[in-house]
Amino acid sequence: MTDLQDCPNRPGIGDISRPKARRRAAGVKEDTVVRFRHRAAAVGGLLALSLLATGCGAGAAPSAVAKPTAGPGTALGATPAVPPLPSVASSPAPALELLWERSGDTTLSGGNPATYWPAVDPKTGDVWVALGANGLYWIFSPDGKFLGSSGAPGTGPGQFNFRRTACPDCVAGAIAFAPDGSFFVADDGNNRIQKFDSAHKFVKAWGSFGSGDGQFADANAIATDGKAVYVNDDARGDIQVFDADGRFLRSFAGPGGWLAIDKDGNLFVMDNSSTTAAINEYDAAGGLRHRFDLPSFEGDHIGLAVDATGRLFFNIQSRQSPDPALGLVRFDPTSSTITRWSTGGETLAIAPTQDAIYEANFVSAGWPSPLLRKYALPAK
């Protein structure tokens, strides 16, 4: 295959008049060696690294879409103090136990067979993952049984176009479930959000192309607590907030794109926009509660998920072709401790049982075909 794969949520790549930076990732070998620059030492069995990272879009041109004026909650004031991260690491990182890996309907075809943005249905425990090039979702049971597909390519209700507006050769397909089992889909190529009830029935859609309130130019990440719906837009460079009925509430500058929301309704956003990567935590009103400066790797901080205890998970990927997944990181904000594993992917979701994690990925070294993987997740 000769497909170029996308860096799905990277800051600074905003000109929607031309394709985003893409990466060659298909048909490559698995024996790529990536060397980390860090000094290592054991610290209570936990890992903390202090290196430098930049987004895959660093140095790209500003957005051609006019960024909207910042809304309420944007004037953040002083950031609450956060304990500094340790600056040492132990090595090597252990691997996670693979519980299963699955594909859905393998008769499907597409120019970019990446999987994207796994999300767990809170009512059933089933996990959904986008097959971006095909405009649909594969659905798996927690034990890996393929249950079928949802959606179809198109522009009608319940149909999707996951080829990104800012880069038609790139695919996304972010989905977010509310606690009642209803869900929202970032229908990127159609420049809209679609809402469905817990029976998977279409409810409504909103949005169009543009830079105004409630419009989209590259809606590639979404999160909800059932009350508010947060939509990241790389091309606009912002995060828009809606209520569950699609009414626009506010917007604020989006520092990175990867989103996760905890049980208390606090929003976490990965910030790869500066020389030091961080995770920003916002309250339900849009105010910045904390900024957690992260140790950096010789790679990019990719994806974001939060478990029931408030621990944050993200993946690390190399910036060098063929962009293999380098591993998974767990960050505990309460203690500023980090645990790292050598196993990882791109977008991710925590199982409701908290003892496993789902990983999806673009087709790259170690991911030779569109797959969803489930790994056992150590409690400590």
Side-chain angles (χ1 to χ4, degrees):
M1 296 178 62
T2 59
D3 295 345
L4 294 174
Q5 309 300 332
D6 181 29
C7 299
N9 279 311
R10 307 299 175 88
I13 312 176
D15 188 344
I16 66 168
S17 66
R18 62 186 182 217
K20 289 190 169 188
R22 288 167 286 170
R23 56 192 176 189
R24 172 72 169 85
V28 295
K29 297 181 179 179
E30 289 189 51
D31 58 357
T32 302
V33 177
V34 179
R35 294 180 175 85
F36 292 100
R37 294 191 300 268
H38 64 275
R39 60 190 179 94
V43 184
L46 295 175
L47 302 169
L49 289 96
S50 172
L51 299 167
L52 216 65
T54 57
C56 136
S63 175
V65 173
K67 293 187 174 78
T69 304
T74 305
L76 302 174
T79 304
V82 177
L85 285 170
S87 59
V88 294
S90 60
S91 181
L96 293 174
E97 176 190 359
L98 178 64
L99 300 176
W100 52 257
E101 67 174 35
R102 298 287 187 273
S103 292
D105 184 353
T106 56
T107 64
L108 296 172
S109 61
N112 185 328
T115 52
Y116 190 76
W117 208 277
V120 179
D121 183 333
K123 293 297 185 180
T124 64
D126 298 335
V127 59
W128 294 45
V129 65
L131 189 66
N134 299 86
L136 55 80
Y137 291 94
W138 283 340
I139 307 171
F140 299 90
S141 67
D143 61 1
K145 180 181 178 181
F146 177 57
L147 302 177
S149 301
S150 181
T155 60
Q159 296 179 330
F160 309 113
N161 178 4
F162 293 147
R163 292 190 177 274
R164 297 178 61 180
T165 302
C167 174
D169 291 334
C170 312
V171 295
I175 180 175
F177 280 91
D180 65 358
S182 62
F183 59 95
F184 302 85
V185 172
D187 190 4
D188 193 333
N190 288 323
N191 302 297
R192 64 184 180 180
I193 304 301
Q194 294 196 63
K195 179 180 179 179
F196 300 82
D197 65 19
S198 59
H200 310 170
K201 181 180 178 181
F202 173 82
V203 175
K204 67 186 307 180
W206 70 88
S208 60
F209 179 81
S211 59
D213 295 345
Q215 294 184 310
F216 307 101
D218 187 17
N220 62 346
I222 194 168
T224 188
D225 60 356
K227 300 174 183 178
V229 180
Y230 299 86
V231 182
N232 175 75
D233 194 306
D234 268 6
R236 289 169 50 113
D238 70 352
I239 295 170
Q240 294 187 77
V241 189
F242 304 88
D243 68 15
D245 292 319
R247 286 186 288 266
F248 175 84
L249 300 178
R250 62 185 177 275
S251 66
F252 57 96
W258 304 105
L259 307 177
I261 194 165
D262 69 11
K263 60 183 178 60
D264 298 319
N266 298 312
L267 178 73
F268 295 88
V269 182
M270 181 65 73
D271 184 356
N272 284 314
S273 62
S274 61
T275 56
T276 301
I279 295 175
N280 293 340
E281 179 187 359
Y282 300 89
D283 61 26
L288 182 64
R289 301 185 71 227
H290 297 98
R291 177 179 172 85
F292 302 102
D293 289 327
L294 295 173
S296 299
F297 300 79
E298 193 171 275
D300 293 315
H301 300 64
I302 305 297
L304 192 61
V306 59
D307 70 10
T309 68
R311 296 179 299 183
L312 295 154
F313 295 75
F314 56 89
N315 286 307
I316 298 296
Q317 289 179 350
S318 170
R319 299 187 198 101
Q320 306 300 317
S321 179
D323 285 331
L326 298 182
L328 173 70
V329 175
R330 181 176 67 199
F331 169 58
D332 187 343
T334 61
S335 60
S336 291
T337 53
I338 281 186
T339 307
R340 184 173 67 90
W341 296 277
S342 61
T343 313
E346 186 176 47
T347 46
L348 62 164
I350 307 297
T353 53
Q354 309 295 305
D355 60 356
I357 190 167
Y358 298 101
E359 293 271 8
N361 205 20
F362 61 95
V363 180
S364 67
W367 296 76
S369 61
L371 294 168
L372 179 68
R373 288 177 175 168
K374 185 177 184 179
Y375 294 97
L377 196 59
K380 296 182 179 181

